[in-house]
PDB file of all heavy atoms in Angstrom:
ATOM      1  N   GLU A  40     -11.297  10.284 -19.790  1.00 98.00           N
ATOM      2  CA  GLU A  40     -10.972   9.807 -21.151  1.00 98.00           C
ATOM      3  C   GLU A  40      -9.920   8.699 -21.128  1.00 98.00           C
ATOM      4  O   GLU A  40      -9.995   7.732 -21.874  1.00 98.00           O
ATOM      5  CB  GLU A  40     -10.474  10.925 -22.008  1.00 98.00           C
ATOM      6  CG  GLU A  40     -11.498  12.015 -22.335  1.00 98.00           C
ATOM      7  CD  GLU A  40     -12.401  11.658 -23.513  1.00 98.00           C
ATOM      8  OE1 GLU A  40     -12.458  10.487 -23.902  1.00 98.00           O
ATOM      9  OE2 GLU A  40     -13.127  12.567 -24.016  1.00 98.00           O
ATOM     10  N   TYR A  96       1.418  15.868 -18.387  1.00 98.00           N
ATOM     11  CA  TYR A  96       1.898  14.728 -17.576  1.00 98.00           C
ATOM     12  C   TYR A  96       0.959  13.507 -17.709  1.00 98.00           C
ATOM     13  O   TYR A  96       1.432  12.378 -17.982  1.00 98.00           O
ATOM     14  CB  TYR A  96       2.009  15.159 -16.104  1.00 98.00           C
ATOM     15  CG  TYR A  96       2.352  13.997 -15.196  1.00 98.00           C
ATOM     16  CD1 TYR A  96       3.589  13.366 -15.230  1.00 98.00           C
ATOM     17  CD2 TYR A  96       1.361  13.425 -14.350  1.00 98.00           C
ATOM     18  CE1 TYR A  96       3.887  12.272 -14.400  1.00 98.00           C
ATOM     19  CE2 TYR A  96       1.655  12.337 -13.526  1.00 98.00           C
ATOM     20  CZ  TYR A  96       2.923  11.785 -13.552  1.00 98.00           C
ATOM     21  OH  TYR A  96       3.189  10.696 -12.793  1.00 98.00           O
ATOM     22  N   HIS A 137     -18.184  40.856 -17.122  1.00 98.00           N
ATOM     23  CA  HIS A 137     -19.521  40.706 -17.720  1.00 98.00           C
ATOM     24  C   HIS A 137     -20.498  40.058 -16.758  1.00 98.00           C
ATOM     25  O   HIS A 137     -21.694  40.397 -16.736  1.00 98.00           O
ATOM     26  CB  HIS A 137     -19.416  39.841 -19.012  1.00 98.00           C
ATOM     27  CG  HIS A 137     -20.734  39.599 -19.683  1.00 98.00           C
ATOM     28  ND1 HIS A 137     -21.476  40.619 -20.241  1.00 98.00           N
ATOM     29  CD2 HIS A 137     -21.431  38.465 -19.903  1.00 98.00           C
ATOM     30  CE1 HIS A 137     -22.570  40.132 -20.758  1.00 98.00           C
ATOM     31  NE2 HIS A 137     -22.589  38.828 -20.555  1.00 98.00           N
ATOM     32  N   LYS A 138     -20.029  39.135 -15.943  1.00 97.00           N
ATOM     33  CA  LYS A 138     -20.978  38.378 -15.105  1.00 97.00           C
ATOM     34  C   LYS A 138     -20.798  38.640 -13.593  1.00 97.00           C
ATOM     35  O   LYS A 138     -21.762  38.661 -12.842  1.00 97.00           O
ATOM     36  CB  LYS A 138     -20.806  36.895 -15.354  1.00 97.00           C
ATOM     37  CG  LYS A 138     -21.734  36.061 -14.486  1.00 97.00           C
ATOM     38  CD  LYS A 138     -21.806  34.622 -14.879  1.00 97.00           C
ATOM     39  CE  LYS A 138     -22.565  33.825 -13.821  1.00 97.00           C
ATOM     40  NZ  LYS A 138     -23.885  33.473 -14.163  1.00 97.00           N
ATOM     41  N   ARG A 152     -12.599  45.711 -23.774  1.00 98.00           N
ATOM     42  CA  ARG A 152     -11.251  45.247 -24.188  1.00 98.00           C
ATOM     43  C   ARG A 152     -11.185  43.746 -24.157  1.00 98.00           C
ATOM     44  O   ARG A 152     -10.707  43.111 -25.099  1.00 98.00           O
ATOM     45  CB  ARG A 152     -10.195  45.859 -23.230  1.00 98.00           C
ATOM     46  CG  ARG A 152      -8.822  45.338 -23.476  1.00 98.00           C
ATOM     47  CD  ARG A 152      -7.807  45.950 -22.523  1.00 98.00           C
ATOM     48  NE  ARG A 152      -6.556  45.209 -22.540  1.00 98.00           N
ATOM     49  CZ  ARG A 152      -5.615  45.318 -23.428  1.00 98.00           C
ATOM     50  NH1 ARG A 152      -5.767  46.196 -24.433  1.00 98.00           N
ATOM     51  NH2 ARG A 152      -4.512  44.621 -23.384  1.00 98.00           N
ATOM     52  N   LEU A 168      -9.950  25.541 -36.954  1.00 99.00           N
ATOM     53  CA  LEU A 168     -10.885  24.387 -37.031  1.00 99.00           C
ATOM     54  C   LEU A 168     -11.559  24.240 -38.396  1.00 99.00           C
ATOM     55  O   LEU A 168     -12.248  23.258 -38.620  1.00 99.00           O
ATOM     56  CB  LEU A 168     -11.973  24.519 -35.931  1.00 99.00           C
ATOM     57  CG  LEU A 168     -11.400  24.360 -34.477  1.00 99.00           C
ATOM     58  CD1 LEU A 168     -12.459  24.682 -33.454  1.00 99.00           C
ATOM     59  CD2 LEU A 168     -10.866  22.930 -34.256  1.00 99.00           C
ATOM     60  N   LEU A 187     -11.799  23.625 -25.071  1.00 99.00           N
ATOM     61  CA  LEU A 187     -13.250  23.604 -25.241  1.00 99.00           C
ATOM     62  C   LEU A 187     -14.052  23.837 -23.928  1.00 99.00           C
ATOM     63  O   LEU A 187     -15.106  24.477 -23.993  1.00 99.00           O
ATOM     64  CB  LEU A 187     -13.714  22.350 -25.966  1.00 99.00           C
ATOM     65  CG  LEU A 187     -13.172  22.355 -27.428  1.00 99.00           C
ATOM     66  CD1 LEU A 187     -13.258  21.004 -28.075  1.00 99.00           C
ATOM     67  CD2 LEU A 187     -13.929  23.387 -28.279  1.00 99.00           C
ATOM     68  N   LEU A 202     -22.272  38.948 -26.620  1.00 98.00           N
ATOM     69  CA  LEU A 202     -21.204  39.950 -26.512  1.00 98.00           C
ATOM     70  C   LEU A 202     -20.014  39.631 -27.449  1.00 98.00           C
ATOM     71  O   LEU A 202     -19.411  40.545 -28.011  1.00 98.00           O
ATOM     72  CB  LEU A 202     -20.756  40.054 -25.053  1.00 98.00           C
ATOM     73  CG  LEU A 202     -19.778  41.140 -24.676  1.00 98.00           C
ATOM     74  CD1 LEU A 202     -20.381  42.521 -24.896  1.00 98.00           C
ATOM     75  CD2 LEU A 202     -19.425  40.994 -23.163  1.00 98.00           C
ATOM     76  N   GLU A 216     -19.850  21.188 -29.962  1.00 98.00           N
ATOM     77  CA  GLU A 216     -20.968  20.217 -29.891  1.00 98.00           C
ATOM     78  C   GLU A 216     -20.485  18.771 -29.854  1.00 98.00           C
ATOM     79  O   GLU A 216     -20.949  17.943 -29.069  1.00 98.00           O
ATOM     80  CB  GLU A 216     -21.904  20.457 -31.098  1.00 98.00           C
ATOM     81  CG  GLU A 216     -23.270  19.966 -30.888  1.00 98.00           C
ATOM     82  CD  GLU A 216     -24.123  20.177 -32.148  1.00 98.00           C
ATOM     83  OE1 GLU A 216     -24.058  21.297 -32.702  1.00 98.00           O
ATOM     84  OE2 GLU A 216     -24.851  19.250 -32.532  1.00 98.00           O
TER      85      GLU A 216
END
Side-chain angles (χ1 to χ4, degrees):
E40 293 278 16
Y96 173 70
H137 180 64
K138 179 170 170 105
R152 175 180 165 80
L168 292 172
L187 293 164
L202 186 61
E216 201 181 316

